[in-house]
């Protein structure tokens, strides 16, 4: 809006009025003054400044009424500017109480609410007496920043002025104490007052719910004389915050039975609980209710919540349909859709949508990047990950939340650049436990067990207490390096030194470590002593150890446990078939494969991805769909020729079929990682590091071949398989052939 000179013109008589500094003419004259009427028509800070100029021109700036209206518009309205309001405020010699209250209120709504408390102190020192309108904003600010000490001082002032019986002040006191965890004081304020309305009940319920004391919250809820929608919301949100999503939804169902109409906050919380619990049926009902009562396109916040719910419940098609139907998406719309793709492991779709977001000139925020970085990590999209790192350095240097930096550590580690991960970690001024865990896990994944152990020792020495995730990373590092004795020591230390009860992941690491070392009796004893039943991953790791140590009979026994536990998982059948193939028991191989086919199960195809020039290319075994397929297979033939000249003999023992040796060698040469490496060789400059990501464990033949390829072509090849990283260089691998 542009205010024209004619719209600002006032009667000549008004311009001749001489107003003494801060002496207000009759209220009616000021209330209906055209200049003040223009304030309600402002649509931007530029409009406000124009009106302010005219207020100065007419002399109205010398009235408390006019200047208070201007400050109110600047400090509180969405189009205002608090810094501009403050500059106007500082020009007033003796602000009245309304102006003090307005500037305090503006700061209570700002990103730095503590300034509201500071202005309250200034107000007292200037001799202006606060009233019942002052304290709710000051107490709200104390609640926001956790300023309990200051809140208690404000409480004393409330008592001194006799305002504890004011309904708004009373509720604000309860809310301040409750939000700051001072539940005893909150309850004391509540119990000493006769003002026990739904609002004060709800304030106390919210405090109990925030601390997970849902039984206390429920008892208070039962005492409320008249329950409004806010009271129900407090209980539903409390259960959801505690992670008790089923209870939250049950409470919502009870609310529906009582015919209490939900509001926007109710529906957003319920949709979030549906997303976490997978209750898509109730989510469908919420969508229908929104369509019937508001219309689906009328509330972007609810549409965003629906997108989040459907995507996390696995219905990405409906979620994307809602997303595509939004005419004016905000950054949250993009975030929930990208996050939904990532949550459902649709990483390519997540990255494609992120690129569309950038092309649409929408600025990503930290939440966007927290959704995109795991997709980069899973696909090995290092170039995009580097771009995000540069974007973070430019735009989020002052961010206090360490989650973004932790995600960058995880991304670099999983994309094969462990050195960059260490640089990010070392550059963090304040490291969270999650950051230490990500770095320890990343080092272990790359086979740097010595560095992982040293980092763990440093972490403990700096006073950080490890958690169960720390020990998963530490034990995995021992497993990847074959450090049996150290693994035993850390497993014992976790239990007896840090009082952490082992979970399935910890037992899985130890049983894998023992199995690889051939300590099957000890592994069996550990499994029997577990507090829980071993899962498929544990039986699978033991079956893999049987394959390594050629324990056919034990492998058969372990496989039956695995088949019983996961009858639809083809991995166990494939492993057992490999064990038989290694022993040349082809009849048994055929029997297992027949059993596999009879169940309609198919072996998970090997898939390897490689990023070249910021584009991720994927290859399946025997893949010929790539546009450069002809060139890739020519390079593959050249590679095989050079391998043969170097004396490489393919290991055909793991090929499942009883076929001629020549055919077996052909099947091995077309594995997905060999195709990806061949593509890397023809698509990158000599000497460039090749990074690949495979969805399965690398086979022994490809591992041996890749070692030699790295020497023949003088390339470092970094490969991530299902379990760990392999750094191939100069004919050797970082895993030292132990994986």
């Amino acid at each position: 809006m542009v205010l024209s000179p004619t719209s600002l013109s006032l009667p000549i008589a008004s311009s001749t009025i001489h107003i003494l500094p801060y002496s207000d003419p009759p209220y009616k004259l000021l209330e209906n003054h055209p200049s003040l009427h223009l304030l309600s028509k402002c649509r931007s800070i530029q409009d406000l400044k124009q009106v302010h100029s005219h207020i100065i021109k007419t002399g109205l700036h010398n009235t408390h009424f006019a200047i208070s209206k201007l400050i109110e518009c600047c400090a509180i309205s969405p189009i205002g500017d608090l810094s501009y309001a403050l500059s106007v405020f500082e020009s007033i010699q003796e602000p009245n109480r309304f102006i003090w209250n307005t500037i305090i209120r503006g700061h209570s709504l700002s990103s730095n609410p503590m300034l509201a408390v500071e202005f309250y102190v200034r107000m007292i020192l200037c001799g202006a007496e606060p009233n019942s309108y002052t304290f709710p904003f000051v107490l709200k600010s104390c609640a926001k920043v956790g300023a309990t000490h200051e809140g208690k001082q404000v409480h004393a002032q409330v008592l001194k002025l006799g305002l504890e019986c004011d309904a708004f002040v009373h509720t604000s006191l309860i809310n301040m104490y409750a939000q700051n965890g001072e539940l005893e004081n909150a309850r004391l304020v509540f119990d000493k007052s006769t003002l026990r309305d739904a609002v004060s009940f709800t304030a106390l319920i919210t405090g109990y719910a925030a601390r997970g004391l849902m039984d206390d919250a429920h008892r208070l809820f039962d005492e409320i004389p008249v329950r409004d929608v806010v009271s129900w919301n407090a209980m539903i949100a409390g259960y959801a915050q505690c992670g008790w999503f089923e209870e939250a939804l049950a409470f919502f169902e009870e609310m529906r039975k009582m015919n209490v109409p939900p509001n926007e906050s109710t529906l957003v919380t319920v949709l979030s609980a549906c997303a976490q619990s997978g209750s898509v049926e109730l989510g469908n009902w919420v969508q229908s209710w929104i369509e019937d009562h508001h219309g689906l396109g009328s509330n972007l916040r609810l549409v965003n919540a629906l997108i989040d719910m459907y995507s996390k419940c696995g219905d990405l098609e409906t979620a994307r349909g809602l997303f595509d139907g939004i005419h004016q998406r905000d950054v949250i719309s993009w975030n929930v859709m990208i996050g939904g793709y990532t949550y459902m492991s649709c990483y390519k779709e997540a990255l494609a949508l992120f690129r569309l977001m950038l092309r649409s000139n929408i600025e990503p925020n930290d939440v966007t990047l927290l959704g995109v970085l795991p997709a980069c990590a899973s696909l090995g999209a290092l170039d995009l990950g580097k771009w995000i790192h540069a974007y973070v350095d430019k735009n989020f240097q002052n961010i206090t939340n360490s989650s973004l930096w932790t995600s960058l550590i995880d991304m670099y580690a999983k994309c094969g650049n462990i050195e960059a991960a260490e640089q990010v970690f070392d550059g963090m001024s304040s490291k969270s436990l999650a950051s230490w865990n990500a770095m320890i896990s990343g080092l272990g994944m790359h086979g740097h067990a010595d560095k992982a152990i040293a980092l763990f020792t440093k972490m403990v020495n700096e006073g950080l207490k490890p958690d169960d995730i720390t020990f998963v990373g530490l034990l995995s590092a021992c497993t990847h390096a074959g450090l049996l004795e150290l693994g035993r020591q850390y497993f014992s230390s976790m239990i007896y030194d840090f009082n952490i009860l082992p979970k399935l992941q910890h037992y899985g690491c130890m049983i894998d470590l023992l199995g690889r070392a051939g300590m099957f009796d000890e592994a069996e004893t550990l499994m029997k002593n577990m507090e829980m039943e071993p899962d498929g991953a544990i039986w699978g790791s033991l079956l893999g150890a049987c394959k390594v140590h050629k324990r056919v009979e034990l492998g058969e026994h372990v496989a039956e446990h695995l088949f019983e536990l996961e009858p639809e998982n083809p991995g166990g059948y494939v492993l057992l078939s490999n064990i038989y193939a290694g022993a040349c028991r082809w009849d048994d191989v055929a029997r297992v494969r027949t059993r596999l086919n009879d169940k309609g199960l198919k072996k998970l195809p090997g898939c390897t991805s490689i990023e070249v020039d910021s584009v991720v290319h994927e290859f399946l075994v025997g893949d010929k769909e790539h546009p450069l397929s002809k060139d890739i297979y020519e390079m593959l033939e050249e590679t095989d020729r050079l391998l043969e000249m170097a004396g490489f003999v393919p290991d055909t023992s793991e090929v499942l079929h009883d076929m001629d040796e020549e055919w077996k060698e052909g099947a091995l040469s077309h594995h997905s990682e060999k195709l990806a490496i061949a593509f890397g060789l023809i698509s990158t400059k000599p000497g460039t590091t090749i990074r690949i990501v495979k969805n399965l464990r690398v086979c022994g033949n490809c591992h041996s071949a890749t070692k030699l390829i790295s020497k023949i072509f003088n390339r470092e090849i970094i490969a991530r398989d299902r379990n760990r990283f392999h750094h191939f260089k100069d004919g050797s691998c970082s895993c030292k052939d132990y994986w």
Side-chain angles (χ1 to χ4, degrees):
M1 162 182 157
V2 177
L3 300 175
S4 65
T6 55
S7 69
L8 290 172
S9 62
L10 298 172
I12 295 174
S14 68
S15 64
T16 60
I17 295 176
H18 296 287
I19 303 172
L20 296 174
Y22 304 113
S23 60
D24 287 11
Y27 173 74
K28 286 291 183 184
L29 178 63
L30 291 175
E31 182 187 27
N32 298 315
H33 202 286
S35 288
L36 298 184
H37 179 67
L38 287 172
L39 284 172
S40 62
K41 295 183 178 180
C42 292
R43 296 293 178 267
S44 69
I45 188 62
Q46 288 74 24
D47 294 345
L48 279 170
K49 289 179 179 179
Q50 286 188 57
V51 174
H52 186 196
S53 298
H54 198 73
I55 288 173
I56 294 172
K57 181 180 177 182
T58 59
L60 286 172
H61 66 292
N62 287 321
T63 69
H64 272 123
F65 183 84
I67 213 71
S68 67
K69 288 295 180 185
L70 177 66
I71 289 175
E72 183 178 28
C73 202
C74 289
I76 296 169
S77 72
I79 56 107
D81 183 332
L82 187 57
S83 62
Y84 191 76
L86 190 57
S87 67
V88 176
F89 173 83
E90 298 294 0
S91 70
I92 305 170
Q93 291 179 4
E94 295 181 11
N96 64 16
R97 186 160 54 189
F98 180 84
I99 294 174
W100 278 108
N101 286 348
T102 302
I103 205 73
I104 288 171
R105 181 184 177 189
H107 281 102
S108 74
L109 299 171
S110 73
S111 59
N112 189 2
M114 196 62 196
L115 288 175
V117 182
E118 293 180 14
F119 271 90
Y120 166 74
V121 174
R122 280 182 61 181
M123 179 183 182
I124 299 293
L125 294 175
C126 288
E129 187 174 288
N131 62 7
S132 58
Y133 293 100
T134 315
F135 289 111
F137 303 126
V138 178
L139 291 167
K140 181 180 180 181
S141 299
C142 291
K144 280 185 175 180
V145 299
T148 308
H149 177 70
E150 290 82 356
K152 289 178 179 178
Q153 291 179 309
V154 174
H155 187 182
Q157 187 77 3
V158 168
L159 295 173
K160 181 180 177 181
L161 295 174
L163 294 174
E164 68 273 14
C165 291
D166 180 88
F168 294 107
V169 176
H170 171 253
T171 304
S172 298
L173 279 167
I174 295 171
N175 187 61
M176 183 274 294
Y177 281 123
Q179 283 199 38
N180 290 345
E182 296 267 342
L183 294 176
E184 289 186 10
N185 285 330
R187 188 65 197 239
L188 278 173
V189 175
F190 177 82
D191 289 340
K192 286 182 178 180
S193 174
T194 57
L195 296 170
R196 296 186 182 181
D197 57 2
V199 180
S200 56
F201 267 101
T202 302
L204 195 53
I205 287 169
T206 303
Y208 281 120
R211 295 296 179 276
L213 303 173
M214 292 309 300
D215 290 340
D216 293 310
H218 204 310
R219 279 192 291 271
L220 270 174
F221 180 81
D222 290 339
E223 293 177 23
I224 300 178
V226 180
R227 298 167 189 155
D228 60 7
V229 65
V230 182
S231 311
W232 287 94
N233 286 354
M235 290 299 297
I236 294 169
Y239 280 120
Q241 288 166 11
C242 292
W244 300 346
F245 303 111
E246 298 295 341
E247 289 82 353
L249 297 181
F251 226 85
F252 176 64
E253 294 286 6
E254 188 67 25
M255 178 181 172
R256 287 171 56 194
K257 290 177 185 176
M258 300 297 291
N259 294 318
V260 180
N263 62 13
E264 180 183 305
S265 295
T266 320
L267 298 173
V268 169
T269 303
V270 168
L271 286 171
S272 177
C274 289
Q276 298 298 327
S277 63
S279 302
V280 71
E281 297 82 5
L282 183 56
N284 287 333
W285 181 91
V286 172
Q287 179 178 347
S288 299
W289 195 93
I290 295 170
E291 289 172 340
D292 293 342
H293 291 79
H294 301 288
L296 196 56
S298 63
N299 191 311
L300 184 57
R301 186 183 178 206
L302 290 176
V303 176
N304 289 340
L306 282 167
I307 294 170
D308 184 56
M309 183 276 298
Y310 279 119
S311 60
K312 287 181 179 173
C313 287
D315 191 351
L316 290 170
E317 185 177 349
T318 300
R320 186 59 189 260
L322 288 168
F323 175 83
D324 290 339
I326 301 173
H327 297 298
Q328 289 186 321
R329 307 178 186 111
D330 61 6
V331 68
I332 298 173
S333 310
W334 293 91
N335 288 351
V336 292
M337 194 66 244
I338 290 170
Y341 279 131
T342 300
Y343 185 82
M344 296 305 298
S345 302
C346 296
Y347 302 118
K348 288 190 294 183
E349 291 81 356
L351 296 189
L353 190 61
F354 177 63
R355 289 189 172 98
L356 178 61
M357 179 183 184
L358 297 177
R359 289 198 299 272
S360 302
N361 295 318
I362 304 296
E363 288 288 327
N365 60 17
D366 55 330
V367 178
T368 319
L369 304 181
L370 285 170
V372 175
L373 283 169
C376 294
S378 295
L379 291 176
L382 181 60
D383 289 347
L384 182 57
K386 286 180 177 177
W387 182 90
I388 292 173
H389 187 185
Y391 186 87
V392 170
D393 279 340
K394 182 179 179 182
N395 297 280
F396 298 104
Q397 269 296 340
N398 296 323
I399 193 169
T400 55
N401 190 338
S402 64
S403 297
L404 203 51
W405 304 106
T406 301
S407 290
L408 280 168
I409 293 169
D410 184 65
M411 180 277 297
Y412 275 123
K414 289 180 178 175
C415 286
N417 195 336
I418 193 64
E419 295 80 13
E422 289 181 284
Q423 288 173 8
V424 173
F425 178 79
D426 291 338
M428 291 178 68
S429 57
S430 178
K431 301 177 179 70
S432 66
L433 179 59
S435 308
W436 289 91
N437 288 348
M439 197 66 246
I440 290 170
S441 176
L443 289 167
M445 195 189 312
H446 282 264
H448 301 313
D450 52 344
K451 285 188 175 183
I453 291 166
L455 195 62
F456 171 76
T457 303
K458 182 180 178 182
M459 180 185 110
V460 173
N461 289 339
E462 290 188 12
L464 270 81
K465 185 179 179 181
D467 62 4
D468 59 309
I469 298 172
T470 316
F471 279 99
V472 170
L474 196 59
L475 291 172
S476 294
C478 293
T479 301
H480 293 319
L483 303 175
L484 178 59
E485 193 53 43
L486 270 177
R488 287 172 174 151
Q489 290 177 19
Y490 284 122
F491 187 76
S492 176
S493 177
M494 176 183 72
I495 300 170
Y496 298 108
D497 296 336
F498 295 98
N499 298 316
I500 297 174
L501 292 176
K503 295 183 177 180
L504 270 173
Q505 298 98 313
H506 304 109
Y507 284 114
C509 289
M510 282 306 300
I511 290 164
D512 190 15
L513 182 56
L514 291 166
R516 287 172 185 239
M519 310 292 289
F520 290 101
D521 291 341
E522 188 176 341
E524 186 178 3
T525 301
L526 187 60
M527 289 175 71
K528 288 179 179 177
N529 292 332
M530 285 169 54
E531 291 81 1
M532 66 288 288
E533 290 296 318
D535 63 357
I538 290 177
W539 285 111
S541 68
L542 201 58
L543 188 59
C546 291
K547 174 180 172 295
V548 171
H549 292 278
K550 304 186 185 303
R551 296 287 296 270
V552 180
E553 292 183 4
L554 181 59
E556 291 174 324
H557 170 73
V558 171
E560 288 306 318
H561 281 284
L562 185 57
F563 298 156
E564 183 179 344
L565 199 61
E566 297 180 350
E568 304 303 316
N569 183 358
Y573 296 94
V574 173
L575 262 177
L576 181 60
S577 183
N578 280 336
I579 291 172
Y580 285 138
C584 296
R585 290 172 52 171
W586 300 111
D587 289 343
D588 289 319
V589 171
R591 177 174 56 80
V592 173
R593 292 189 62 82
T594 300
R595 189 175 174 183
L596 191 68
N597 293 332
D598 289 346
K599 285 181 168 288
L601 303 177
K602 291 186 177 180
K603 177 182 181 289
L604 184 67
C607 176
T608 302
S609 62
I610 179 173
E611 184 188 42
V612 175
D613 295 331
S614 301
V615 178
V616 177
H617 303 259
E618 290 187 333
F619 295 90
L620 298 174
V621 59
D623 199 335
K624 294 187 178 180
E625 298 299 317
H626 196 278
L628 297 178
S629 185
K630 181 175 180 293
D631 297 330
I632 291 169
Y633 275 88
E634 286 178 0
M635 172 53 74
L636 202 59
E637 288 179 9
E638 174 65 9
T639 302
D640 287 340
R641 185 183 69 80
L642 293 173
L643 284 171
E644 186 177 357
M645 287 177 60
F648 176 72
V649 178
D651 178 8
T652 60
S653 63
E654 292 190 5
V655 181
L656 297 182
H657 300 286
D658 182 15
M659 57 176 71
D660 292 339
E661 291 298 312
E662 183 180 346
W663 283 96
K664 287 183 183 181
E665 291 179 15
L668 289 170
S669 70
H670 295 169
H671 277 189
S672 61
E673 54 262 60
K674 296 282 285 294
L675 295 171
I677 291 170
F679 174 70
L681 289 171
I682 65 171
S683 305
T684 59
K685 295 178 181 178
T688 305
T689 298
I690 295 175
R691 289 180 171 86
I692 62 173
V693 177
K694 185 176 181 180
N695 64 332
L696 302 175
R697 180 179 177 273
V698 64
C699 72
N701 180 79
C702 287
H703 189 270
S704 299
T706 307
K707 284 195 297 183
L708 203 48
I709 290 171
S710 72
K711 185 175 183 179
I712 292 171
F713 291 93
N714 193 26
R715 297 283 196 113
E716 182 178 4
I717 301 172
I718 300 175
R720 186 184 92 199
D721 70 7
R722 186 177 60 190
N723 297 326
R724 62 166 300 157
F725 271 91
H726 301 264
H727 293 249
F728 300 96
K729 191 174 183 180
D730 297 329
S732 61
C733 179
S734 59
C735 74
K736 299 179 176 61
D737 297 337
Y738 182 89
W739 80 97

